Amino acid sequence: MTEKFTKEISRMRRIEGQARGITKMMEEDRYCIDILQQFSAIEAALRSTKLKILEIHTNHCVEEALTSGDKADQKEKIAELISLFSKMGK
């Protein structure tokens, strides 16, 4: 396991457990509002983890490209970010 993702892997495992919990709630025919609240909790956890991964990417991969002086790598990293933000905005 890579060291830079250790906390995020733990977060994803917790989210995975939350998803299993929602499935169980649905199987048990629990109250819909309770189920929907759990979906909101998962969405918030995913959003937080996604932003942390973006921060790691920016602080490692993008920063490395910018300081390397490699124009092709710099353009590639910028294009990746633009593409990502475009997809996230939909």
Side-chain angles (χ1 to χ4, degrees):
M1 171 169 43
T2 180
E3 198 172 302
K4 69 180 174 183
F5 293 123
T6 302
K7 290 180 183 177
E8 289 63 44
I9 290 169
S10 293
R11 287 180 183 175
M12 290 305 299
R13 289 193 175 122
R14 281 193 302 274
I15 292 167
E16 184 179 16
Q18 287 177 294
R20 283 192 302 274
I22 289 174
T23 300
K24 184 176 180 185
M25 291 174 76
M26 293 165 62
E27 290 169 347
E28 295 172 351
D29 199 26
R30 297 274 297 274
Y31 188 54
C32 295
I33 295 299
D34 294 339
I35 295 169
L36 291 168
Q37 287 174 338
Q38 290 304 308
F39 273 111
S40 293
I42 284 179
E43 289 168 347
L46 282 170
R47 195 170 28 258
S48 173
T49 305
K50 179 174 62 174
L51 290 173
K52 184 61 182 174
I53 297 296
L54 177 59
E55 179 184 330
I56 290 168
H57 176 66
T58 303
N59 288 331
H60 289 94
C61 304
V62 175
E63 183 178 354
E64 185 178 298
L66 293 175
T67 58
S68 73
D70 183 340
K71 295 291 183 190
D73 195 26
Q74 292 170 356
K75 287 181 181 183
E76 179 183 346
K77 295 300 185 248
I78 291 169
E80 287 173 350
L81 288 174
I82 291 169
S83 176
L84 175 68
F85 290 133
S86 173
K87 290 175 187 174
M88 288 172 64
K90 292 180 181 178

